[in-house]
Amino acid sequence: MRYADPSANRDLLGNRTLLFIFICAFALVTLLQQILYGRNYIKRGLQFGWQSGDQLANWTGLFNITDDQAVQSGSDSSSRYFEFYEGPFEYNSTRCLELRHEILEVKVLSMVKQSELFDRWKSLQMCKWAMNISEANQFKSTLSRCCNAPAFLFTTQKNTPLGTKLKYEVDTSGIYHINQEIFRMFPKDMPYYRSQFKKCAVVGNGGILKNSRCGREINSADFVFRCNLPPISEKYTMDVGVKTDVVTVNPSIITERFHKLEKWRRPFYRVLQVYENASVLLPAFYNTRNTDVSIRVKYVLDDFESPQAVYYFHPQYLVNVSRYWLSLGVRAKRISTGLILVTAALELCEEVHLFGFWAFPMNPSGLYITHHYYDNVKPRPGFHAMPSEIFNFLHLHSRGILRVHTGTCSCC
Amino acid sequence: MSPCGWARRHTSRGAMAVLAWKFPRTRLPVGASALCVVVLCWLYIFPVYRLPNEKEIVQGVLQQGTAWRRNQTAARDFRKQMEDCCDPAHLFAMTKLNSPMGKSMWYDGELLYSFTIDNSTYSLFPQATPFQLPLKKCVVVGNGGILKKSGCGRQIDEANFVMRCNLPPLSSEYTKDVGSKSHLVTANPSIIRQRFQNLLWSRKTFVDNMKIYNHSYIYMPAFSMKTGTEPSLRVYYTLSDVGANQTVLFANPNFLRSIGKFWKNRGIHAKRLSTGLFLVSAALGLCEEVAIYGFWPFSVDMHEQPISHHYYDNVLPFSGFHAMPEEFLQLWYLHKIGALRMQLDPCEDTSLPPPS
């Protein structure tokens, strides 16, 4: 009898097998990528068509318009943005309609080159912006159906009664029992109501704000949102203003810069004091790590007898908002605080102005800018999908729902 | 190819057999011998001894009476011993002088844990021991129930330097018995944990509670237990945040350890000395005259009447952690030789209602 070589069977991880496994894995990953992205691409396109509603009533119509324009402006394609530079155009002029469509035409970010998008955005700047009331109202009603900020933005005693088992946003298995101690920290009801403020400013921290001189315009808004405890000292007042009504604080900042408030607390209090009477907004129930730190903020302000209010994002609101933006193509591990604030502002204010929302390494003119207006610390890659969010804002701007400021301000 | 495989298997089995023959399974009961070793170690660390009986001690104290005369030489002798063993004037607290940055120290209440003084901790220490040495007349106030209705408040307040243990209440209802002055108050991290939730949440209650000890030093054994370090440092942060009058001093683990050794040599068998004894030892080394109040760890007073454990509550401590009766005997001995004065009788008779 002959036996087969026993060692041949044991060659489980030999060279050939390994190579085979690698090839298989590679093929599988590529296949998955193709499936996922491909399907998503189709879905996103469809949703934009659905979202833009009556303006882009049907696909064929849209393409017809753009085709015509392409024909019209085909002759002077090289210098077409520069010949009408005398003054701002009226909102409803045909030229502006055309420019707006050029932005809306870009369905996904990867459809055009970044420089191409920047060019289109830059040429749109010469049109005056005006709110498109019907469009805006429609968008806001969609938001109120999905997210309903005037009732669910913060945890309140009304929407989170005693004994509620609050679900965290990310740690879905995590549940927080609302006990008496926490319940007492919540406001009785939401302090804001629908369309309470005429003109709101949401101030992002983008490097585009540097030397923008938008301070006065921001200060002139009725209600100002700021993100992540930004510095508003003398040095920056000119560009970012001082008025603050709501400032969000990321618990990770407290953990890193203020030792989770387990050591000294006065430095943190001093930082908050700069914002005078601004309310402090924290994602306490985002994940389990944030809760303790966020609750401590309330204790700190109480201990120092500060008049500032502390509010916590309702986790369900965060879930709804991120779900909503996911349907508009913002695919990220987590949507940024800025996006949440803009969503809330759209419901709380009539007119929303965005400052410092620009997540590209260069400004629309192609000059490189810092990441924030105060530093150049890049965020963790792959966490937020900033360009995609900004891209959505540009769309909303073109549809007349909100206004994105990316240039320098000269007003007032 | 195939015979080779067979042969290999055969040899390996043979080798196993040889091993088994050479080293037979041990017959020695490993578990039993390990148990023996453990028991022996246990007896070595915690030797069996007879706790003095509470009744006997009280009887003895009553027989000997509380008559007392100061003995300068005895006090000086004891201070000399204290300085030789522990040097309280320099080592009482963690200071920049005795614990330079980068120095490695051992926790005195833990087995084999050390820490290194880093920049952030170093900046919390004062330059040197902040007392005006030598102190003239010191009083150490224990929290024994014997202080209740003693009326010793005025006597205690007469002293130059008053030390108290474990953040005792000093509200107006107790002032008559325990006085209102304090210059040094000890605080155990366990109290910070139990009463103030480790200062992780609201700190206002703590700051408000500290106000009664205006301008005293808060003396914290921060480096005795590993778990106590964070709360103790947090006490410092809290008080410095609000700019309180109190100053936080951290106990030096080397000082605590040497005092522990000192008393262990004199036959106090406890896992750890009580804060009171630490303070009395420090006071004996720092002050010219020492009087102690409220050191009476028994459930009956001198007239055999039951009393509470503390003058403010009757929460009994964990048994077997401190050896209070033995400590009392040592202090009683010092009282007898005249090195310190122990007040056991009421200072003014307040137990009787004033005659109408």
Side-chain angles (χ1 to χ4, degrees), chain B residues 5 13 29 130 206 257 289 347 350:
Chain B
R13 193 179 280 172
F206 176 74
R257 191 182 301 110
E289 277 177 44
C347 307
T350 53

Side-chain angles (χ1 to χ4, degrees), chain A residues 3 5 261-267 292 296 299 303-305, chain B residues 1-2 6 124 199-204 234 237 240-242:
Chain A
Y3 292 98
D5 176 12
L261 298 176
E262 283 175 3
K263 298 188 171 181
W264 281 284
R265 289 179 172 182
R266 190 172 275 280
D292 287 357
R296 232 166 259 156
Y299 283 121
D303 281 358
F304 285 109
E305 286 161 1
Chain B
M1 206 187 283
S2 53
W6 273 109
L124 311 183
L199 296 177
L200 281 177
W201 311 108
S202 185
R203 293 175 170 179
K204 203 174 168 41
R234 232 169 266 144
Y237 300 135
S240 79
D241 262 355
V242 298

Side-chain angles (χ1 to χ4, degrees), chain A residues 358-377:
Chain A
W358 193 260
F360 302 104
M362 54 201 86
N363 68 7
S365 319
L367 291 175
Y368 281 93
I369 52 174
T370 53
H371 186 69
H372 292 137
Y373 67 82
Y374 46 88
D375 64 18
N376 199 11
V377 179

Side-chain angles (χ1 to χ4, degrees), chain B residues 17-321:
Chain B
V18 169
L19 274 177
W21 174 77
K22 238 184 178 172
F23 304 103
R25 270 174 64 87
T26 172
R27 291 280 158 78
L28 195 74
V30 178
S33 54
L35 195 70
C36 277
V37 171
V38 166
V39 167
L40 284 177
C41 288
W42 183 272
L43 288 178
Y44 178 72
I45 296 168
F46 308 111
V48 181
Y49 61 96
R50 197 177 65 90
L51 256 176
N53 192 348
E54 180 180 321
K55 279 238 173 78
E56 283 171 28
I57 297 175
V58 177
Q59 284 303 324
V61 168
L62 278 179
Q63 273 168 23
Q64 294 181 13
T66 49
W68 177 79
R69 256 189 43 237
R70 178 179 312 286
N71 183 348
Q72 291 291 354
T73 46
R76 209 176 301 126
D77 278 357
F78 198 83
R79 192 177 320 136
K80 187 83 181 50
Q81 281 181 32
M82 214 65 219
E83 271 160 15
D84 286 347
C85 92
C86 317
D87 194 10
H90 291 112
L91 295 181
F92 181 63
M94 298 286 274
T95 61
K96 287 189 172 150
L97 278 181
N98 66 30
S99 35
M101 200 171 350
K103 188 180 179 187
S104 206
M105 287 175 130
W106 295 93
Y107 283 91
D108 71 296
E110 298 260 9
L111 210 62
L112 300 180
Y113 265 125
S114 73
F115 65 97
T116 310
I117 297 164
D118 56 359
N119 201 357
S120 56
T121 327
Y122 179 74
S123 60
L124 311 183
F125 301 151
Q127 186 60 38
T129 314
F131 310 131
Q132 301 259 316
L133 294 174
L135 298 163
K136 289 289 284 179
K137 208 174 150 192
C138 295
V139 160
V140 182
V141 185
N143 295 334
I146 200 164
L147 269 177
K148 212 187 222 167
K149 300 211 178 101
S150 68
C152 287
R154 198 178 305 156
Q155 266 192 37
I156 290 172
D157 282 348
E158 275 167 14
N160 303 119
F161 200 84
V162 181
M163 304 186 183
R164 293 176 196 272
C165 307
N166 279 353
L167 300 182
L170 290 181
S171 48
S172 55
E173 51 182 314
Y174 305 117
T175 320
K176 211 166 166 220
D177 299 330
V178 299
S180 58
K181 256 166 73 171
S182 62
H183 298 89
L184 186 130
V185 182
T186 70
N188 259 348
S190 65
I191 296 182
I192 304 295
R193 188 170 63 242
Q194 285 155 17
R195 276 171 60 192
F196 306 107
Q197 295 95 38
N198 256 340
L199 296 177
L200 281 177
W201 311 108
S202 185
R203 293 175 170 179
K204 203 174 168 41
T205 13
F206 176 74
V207 173
D208 289 346
N209 274 342
M210 288 304 109
K211 278 183 185 149
I212 46 169
Y213 311 112
N214 49 29
H215 289 292
S216 25
Y217 296 101
I218 311 283
Y219 184 71
M220 301 218 54
F223 305 105
S224 291
M225 304 275 183
K226 211 158 182 290
T227 49
T229 309
E230 280 295 307
S232 312
L233 296 185
R234 232 169 266 144
V235 166
Y236 185 95
Y237 300 135
T238 307
L239 292 177
S240 79
D241 262 355
V242 298
N245 295 329
Q246 299 84 29
T247 319
V248 180
L249 289 182
F250 299 111
N252 195 323
N254 293 341
F255 174 69
L256 297 186
R257 191 182 301 110
S258 47
I259 285 198
K261 248 182 226 159
F262 177 85
W263 288 111
K264 196 157 195 166
N265 286 342
R266 292 171 164 243
I268 292 185
H269 305 82
K271 280 183 197 155
R272 202 174 157 71
L273 297 185
S274 71
T275 316
L277 194 59
F278 279 126
L279 276 189
V280 173
S281 331
L284 283 168
L286 294 171
C287 312
E288 292 181 350
E289 277 177 44
V290 178
I292 62 178
Y293 293 78
F295 280 80
W296 182 257
F298 307 112
S299 57
V300 291
D301 70 357
M302 312 268 287
H303 310 291
E304 310 260 323
Q305 298 300 311
I307 54 171
S308 60
H309 186 69
H310 292 138
Y311 69 83
Y312 45 88
D313 66 16
N314 198 12
V315 179
L316 295 173
F318 291 119
S319 60
F321 197 64

